[in-house]
């Protein structure tokens, strides 16, 4: 009994010492790096206001029955108080039990996987080509980065003009070759291929630049040694290039997945989710609930938004865990 008591006392004393060291370490860090904390404080404050408050508000609304008929509003000189009520998890039950959610989720996953895969493959191919010495390399680099420099909505409107069934350049070219016009944005299958094409076109420059930077960080001596040992081009690519790009690839794939999963402008500006609802993804459905449906369902839209955030967080956690199992530090 005495031994057990002494161990408990020793453990408590050790915990107190650890807490004291932690406090002293924190005070020392604040005293030593106060300028760093002062520099990031405004950023943290702005992020808290711009991201934190809307996030908290959205989670709260998802637990209510708020819509445009029961929220606080002003009509002329009269102010109508909010009358929506707390409903708990009813909205989540309704959304998860709705086949529409699962249809949107399936297409969103397909859209994301296809776009990220094709974007990565094209970006890697272009990065490998631009990593070689040839005449006019600077011009080609600039030309391939151009889609990234143009505002997204401008690019999407340009593609919408190209896809126009009656006056679009693509169908004019097909007509000149004796091929019937393709309903690019009027047929569900062609519309899906069209939005994927536009998103890949917008995403390739970022992927190419990131992977090109990774290629330039791989020592050239490795390729020279492999070539002297008789390794083929494919073997050099497989055993030197791909492992050398692993860290960069994992990061850009994660970022590209998150961006594509939430790529609202391409879908909304090009097809508005049509024809019908064939190209609607989760984020455009959330927008439709809040701004297009009647009555506008703010609680339902917030619920879709929270579910999107939860799905991306789960994906990021699983992705990070898989990287750590592979020995990647992230």
């Amino acid at each position: 009994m005495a031994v057990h008591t002494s161990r408990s006392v020793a453990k408590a004393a050790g915990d107190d010492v650890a807490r004291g060291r932690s406090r002293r370490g924190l005070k020392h860090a604040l005293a030593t790096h106060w300028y760093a904390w002062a520099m990031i404080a405004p950023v943290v404050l702005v992020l808290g206001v711009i991201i934190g408050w809307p996030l908290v508000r959205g989670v709260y609304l998802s637990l209510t029955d708020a819509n445009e008929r029961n929220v606080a509003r002003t009509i002329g000189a009269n102010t109508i108080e909010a009358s929506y009520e707390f409903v708990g998890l009813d909205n989540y039950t309704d959304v998860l039990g709705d086949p529409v959610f699962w249809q949107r989720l399936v297409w969103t996953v397909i859209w994301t996987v296809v776009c990220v895969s094709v974007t990565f493959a094209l970006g890697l191919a272009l990065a490998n080509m631009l990593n070689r010495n040839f005449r006019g390399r600077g011009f080609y680099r600039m030309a391939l980065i151009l889609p990234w420099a143009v505002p997204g909505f401008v690019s999407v409107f340009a593609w919408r003009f190209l896809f126009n069934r009656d006056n679009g350049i693509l169908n004019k070219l097909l007509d000149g070759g004796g091929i019937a016009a393709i309903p690019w944005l009027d047929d569900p299958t062609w519309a899906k291929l069209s939005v994927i094409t536009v998103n890949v076109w917008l995403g390739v420059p970022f992927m190419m630049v990131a992977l090109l930077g990774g290629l330039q960080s791989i020592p050239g001596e490795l390729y020279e040694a492999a070539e002297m040992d008789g390794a083929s081009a494919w073997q050099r690519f497989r055993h030197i290039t791909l492992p050398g790009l692993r860290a960069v690839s994992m990061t850009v794939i994660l970022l590209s997945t998150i961006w594509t999963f939430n790529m609202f402008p391409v879908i909304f500006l090009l097809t508005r989710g049509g024809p019908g609802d064939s190209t609607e993804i989760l984020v455009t459905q959330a927008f439709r609930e809040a701004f297009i449906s009647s009555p506008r369902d703010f609680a339902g839209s917030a619920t879709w938004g929270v579910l999107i955030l939860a799905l991306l967080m789960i994906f990021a956690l699983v992705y990070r865990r898989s990287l750590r199992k592979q020995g990647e530090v992230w």
Side-chain angles (χ1 to χ4, degrees), residues 242-278:
L242 290 182
L245 289 177
R246 181 176 298 170
V248 176
S249 299
M250 296 300 101
T251 301
V252 294
I253 288 174
L254 175 63
L255 293 175
S256 184
T257 299
I258 294 173
W259 293 338
T260 304
F261 201 87
N262 285 323
M263 185 53 71
F264 174 82
V266 170
I267 299 292
F268 184 76
L269 297 177
L270 194 63
T271 65
R272 292 189 177 273
D277 58 358
S278 59

Side-chain angles (χ1 to χ4, degrees), residues 44-59:
V44 173
L45 180 62
V46 170
L47 289 177
V49 173
I50 295 178
I51 298 177
W53 167 245
L55 178 60
V56 172
R57 179 67 176 171
V59 172

Side-chain angles (χ1 to χ4, degrees), residues 7-268:
R7 287 179 179 173
S8 300
V9 172
K11 182 179 180 182
D15 292 342
D16 291 339
V17 171
R19 291 194 200 98
R21 288 177 179 173
S22 178
R23 293 193 190 99
R24 287 196 298 271
L26 180 60
K27 290 180 180 178
H28 179 72
L30 290 173
T32 305
H33 305 293
W34 63 268
Y35 57 89
W37 292 99
M39 291 292 287
I40 67 172
V43 178
V44 173
L45 180 62
V46 170
L47 289 177
V49 173
I50 295 178
I51 298 177
W53 167 245
L55 178 60
V56 172
R57 179 67 176 171
V59 172
Y60 169 72
L61 285 177
S62 71
L63 302 174
T64 68
D65 61 352
N67 57 55
E68 66 176 334
R69 295 175 178 173
N70 58 23
V71 296
R73 56 201 183 277
T74 301
I75 303 177
N78 301 318
T79 299
I80 302 177
E81 299 294 333
S83 59
Y84 56 82
E85 300 177 349
F86 184 83
V87 297
L89 299 177
D90 289 354
N91 290 323
Y92 293 94
T93 303
D94 293 340
V95 171
L96 293 175
D98 188 351
V100 172
F101 172 79
W102 299 104
Q103 292 171 8
R104 301 289 182 271
L105 178 60
V106 169
W107 163 236
T108 303
V109 172
I110 294 173
W111 143 269
T112 302
V113 171
V114 173
C115 286
V116 173
S117 301
V118 176
T119 301
F120 180 80
L122 290 177
L124 181 57
L126 291 172
N128 271 287
M129 288 189 286
L130 293 177
N131 194 40
R132 301 173 182 176
N133 291 319
F134 59 90
R135 191 172 182 180
R137 184 176 64 171
F139 170 77
Y140 287 110
R141 285 184 176 181
M142 186 184 306
L144 290 169
I145 293 174
L146 187 61
W148 196 17
V150 177
F153 71 93
V154 175
S155 299
V156 175
F157 282 137
W159 276 98
R160 187 176 177 86
F161 175 72
L162 293 175
F163 285 135
N164 186 275
R165 183 169 187 172
D166 299 321
N167 302 310
I169 295 176
L170 295 179
N171 278 341
K172 291 291 184 182
L173 293 174
L174 293 175
D175 184 61
I179 302 175
I182 294 176
W184 297 104
L185 304 179
D186 301 323
D187 177 79
T189 302
W190 284 110
K192 290 179 179 180
L193 291 175
S194 299
V195 293
I196 289 173
T197 300
V198 174
N199 193 64
V200 168
W201 188 79
L202 291 172
V204 163
F206 164 76
M207 194 71 72
M208 179 193 69
V209 170
L211 294 175
L212 181 58
L215 286 173
Q216 293 178 344
S217 68
I218 300 175
E221 294 80 2
L222 295 178
Y223 292 101
E224 294 174 2
E227 191 171 1
M228 291 179 63
D229 290 339
S232 65
W234 167 248
Q235 289 174 327
R236 295 195 298 271
F237 176 77
R238 180 182 176 184
H239 297 289
I240 299 177
T241 303
L242 290 182
L245 289 177
R246 181 176 298 170
V248 176
S249 299
M250 296 300 101
T251 301
V252 294
I253 288 174
L254 175 63
L255 293 175
S256 184
T257 299
I258 294 173
W259 293 338
T260 304
F261 201 87
N262 285 323
M263 185 53 71
F264 174 82
V266 170
I267 299 292
F268 184 76

